[in-house]
Amino acid sequence: MNILGENHSINLAKLSEFHKRPPLYAATEDHFWDDPYISQQMLEAHINPTTDVASRKPETIEATVEWLDKEFFQTLSGNQIIDLGCGPGLYTSKIAQLGYEVSGIDLSKNAIQYAKKLAKKLDLSIKYQIGNYLDWRSYQKYDAVTLIYYDYGTFNPLQRQILLENIHEALKPGGLFVFDVITKNHEHQSDQCWEWSVCENNGFWMQEGYLSLSNSFRYESAAVDLSQHIIINENGETKIYRIWQHWFDPSTISSELEEGGFEMVWVGSDLQGTGFSHDSEAMGIIARKKN
Ligand SMILES: C[S@@+](CC[C@H](N)C(=O)[O-])C[C@H]1O[C@@H](n2cnc3c(N)ncnc32)[C@H](O)[C@@H]1O
């Protein structure tokens, strides 16, 4: 059997390039979260209650909001909270049900449309906007900013600095920044792991058929893991999606927060009150704006 079409040949040299480690923080395809097709697949993953793929399961979200409210939100002097990367509004709607004045921002039009419909169905008044929180300048000041599901560590150091500046600017004095990151113990595929697969149609990355290569790389000295997905369509055109994840420990995240004008007031293994231990795979963090 010959898999080549007329006048086509496989460029083996190019394919072998895909197995090489890209430079640290090499660019990714721009449209990962807001591509109309991918964001629809992502939305389905977010709202699927049986998986933790894009959003955590409903019982985890419930426990997180309950703990944050009891331990931190109730201590705030005001009640204005914004969720960055709010997705389909799974946290915002729960927080609004507790009586807070809630806003959400997300790059994905599909996710925001879903979040707005959910708010309407639950008779909640939540302000949603489609936007990039890296370019965000807030005119309103908040008592707390949340950024949940390891999104902070997906950015490079300069982007994280910008993000911290934006959050600092958006918070009232003494306001809280609530987020989570991975640690080095987080599950990571080894550099030797390559996975080629074929999808005839309606796969995760595009509606038409494609061939994909998924591989991962660890950048030990920079404390970063990369999960890379190379998608090749029938015409041989490629798109490369890269998900970078910087890992932290309590001291590296605390210094980064200090530099950004925050004081770390709590660190645990999650955002449900579980204490931190040296084999924790993640950290839930509460930081307070210092000035
Ligand atoms: C892993 S999901 C988590 C969603 C939500 N926090 C949750 O846990 O259910 C990341 C979300 O952040 C959004 N996002 C990623 N980068 C963003 C950016 N720069 N500005 C705004 N939203 C962003 C994505 O569209 C996606 O909805």
Side-chain angles (χ1 to χ4, degrees), residues 216-228:
S216 4
F217 300 91
R218 174 155 276 197
Y219 298 72
E220 188 74 38
S221 59
V224 174
D225 283 331
L226 168 65
S227 215
Q228 176 172 263

Side-chain angles (χ1 to χ4, degrees), residues 228-245:
Q228 176 172 263
H229 305 273
I230 299 174
I231 313 301
I232 308 168
N233 74 9
E234 275 188 338
N235 302 321
E237 292 152 353
T238 61
K239 289 195 169 184
I240 305 184
Y241 296 98
R242 298 193 171 108
I243 302 159
W244 298 97
Q245 265 295 358

Side-chain angles (χ1 to χ4, degrees), residues 193-212:
C193 181
W194 315 103
E195 193 181 310
W196 282 97
S197 61
V198 175
C199 190
E200 284 190 52
N201 52 48
N202 298 323
F204 181 82
W205 297 103
M206 59 174 79
Q207 197 155 18
E208 312 84 63
Y210 61 82
L211 172 67
S212 70

Side-chain angles (χ1 to χ4, degrees), residues 33 46 54-56 61 83-88 90-91 105-108 111 131-134 148-149 151 155:
W33 294 110
H46 278 298
S55 292
R56 297 191 174 110
I61 296 176
D83 189 22
L84 307 185
C86 62
L90 306 178
Y91 290 87
I105 173 168
D106 201 287
L107 273 181
S108 162
N132 183 342
Y133 50 63
L134 296 175
I148 300 179
Y149 218 1
D151 292 339
F155 298 109

Side-chain angles (χ1 to χ4, degrees), residues 3 15 25 54 77 98 102 126 139 173 187 194 201 207 264 266 268:
I3 60 157
L15 282 183
Y25 292 124
S77 49
L98 295 172
V102 184
I126 302 176
Y139 298 106
E187 190 188 338
W194 315 103
N201 52 48
Q207 197 155 18
M264 188 163 81
W266 190 86

